[in-house]
Amino acid sequence: NISCSIVSLSDLPQHKLILQNDGSIHFERIIKLVPDSSLWTMIDFYEAYLPFQKFPADANRGVDVVPCLATFTPLEMAEMPPFDAVSTTLYSPPLLILPPVPDMSMPFNVISLSCTVWAFVLGSLLNMLVRRGSESVKRELTGEKETRPIDKLKAKIREKKNRLKEKLAKLRNKYSANASVSPQEDIQRLQ
């Protein structure tokens, strides 16, 4: 003969419900059972997402669920003083639940990458400001005029042109002094 009933928590007399600091619940219930009977207790629950601060340090190991315990005292001995009553306590096996664990290194990676980008941007900006500022102070003190990049390029081309003219003048002077040796003979002698 099997009887089944669904009872809500508010319908249970003599129960104790304690909310622990870690978010777990301690439920205690006193029930009188007749001999050769069985009791099944099922509790519905909703999954909760823990913030990463509440995860234990070794979250990849899992979360321990403490074993349930049941204490049985025969009815004829229940009226006796507590120390004289013979009772039996049974423990369920403990559980190790492996919850989905967030990647704890991800916030570190995001912070590192964003700080690197900001350091690069601000460093480049500061470098440009300091260089331009120091160059403008130098020009003010020396009185030299600011040169544009195109003017710098023209100056370099003029400088290379002058060097080339000097080298050509040296070669002309060398060959005009040695008029007896032609440039083609000089090249053949070097080979």
Side-chain angles (χ1 to χ4, degrees):
N1 190 6
I2 297 174
S3 66
C4 178
S5 62
I6 298 174
V7 181
S8 68
L9 197 60
S10 60
D11 297 337
L12 292 176
Q14 300 177 352
H15 73 277
K16 193 190 300 182
L17 190 64
I18 301 170
L19 181 63
Q20 304 288 341
N21 289 337
D22 62 353
S24 61
I25 295 174
H26 174 82
F27 175 68
E28 188 175 310
R29 169 84 171 104
I30 298 173
I31 301 174
K32 292 183 181 178
L33 295 175
V34 295
D36 293 329
S37 62
S38 61
L39 173 71
W40 287 79
T41 303
M42 290 184 271
I43 298 173
D44 291 331
F45 65 95
Y46 295 105
E47 295 177 356
Y49 292 102
L50 291 176
F52 74 92
Q53 297 93 342
K54 290 204 174 188
F55 274 88
D58 56 348
N60 289 322
R61 180 187 160 275
V63 177
D64 291 310
V65 177
V66 294
C68 296
L69 64 99
T71 303
F72 298 96
T73 306
L75 285 177
E76 59 270 1
M77 295 184 175
E79 285 78 28
M80 298 177 85
F83 297 110
D84 295 339
V86 177
S87 60
T88 304
T89 303
L90 300 176
Y91 294 90
S92 69
L95 293 175
L96 183 65
I97 298 176
L98 298 172
V101 180
D103 183 10
M104 298 298 184
S105 67
M106 197 169 108
F108 171 75
N109 294 341
V110 170
I111 290 170
S112 299
L113 183 63
S114 59
C115 287
T116 302
V117 168
W118 277 108
F120 177 74
V121 168
L122 293 177
S124 299
L125 182 67
L126 187 64
N127 189 12
M128 286 189 320
L129 290 174
V130 168
R131 280 193 181 179
R132 286 192 182 187
S134 63
E135 287 176 5
S136 66
V137 169
K138 178 182 162 188
R139 281 193 300 274
E140 283 181 18
L141 292 175
T142 59
E144 76 178 64
K145 188 179 175 185
E146 183 178 355
T147 56
R148 298 179 306 176
I150 190 76
D151 295 334
K152 289 180 184 178
L153 183 63
K154 287 179 183 178
K156 280 188 180 182
I157 291 173
R158 269 191 235 112
E159 183 182 328
K160 291 196 184 261
K161 181 180 165 187
N162 291 337
R163 279 191 204 162
L164 188 59
K165 281 183 180 179
E166 288 174 10
K167 287 185 179 181
L168 286 174
K170 284 182 184 178
L171 282 174
R172 278 193 201 127
N173 290 339
K174 179 181 173 184
Y175 288 117
S176 63
N178 290 337
S180 60
V181 180
S182 68
Q184 284 82 13
E185 293 174 2
D186 196 20
I187 292 171
Q188 287 174 357
R189 192 172 29 133
L190 290 174
Q191 292 176 349

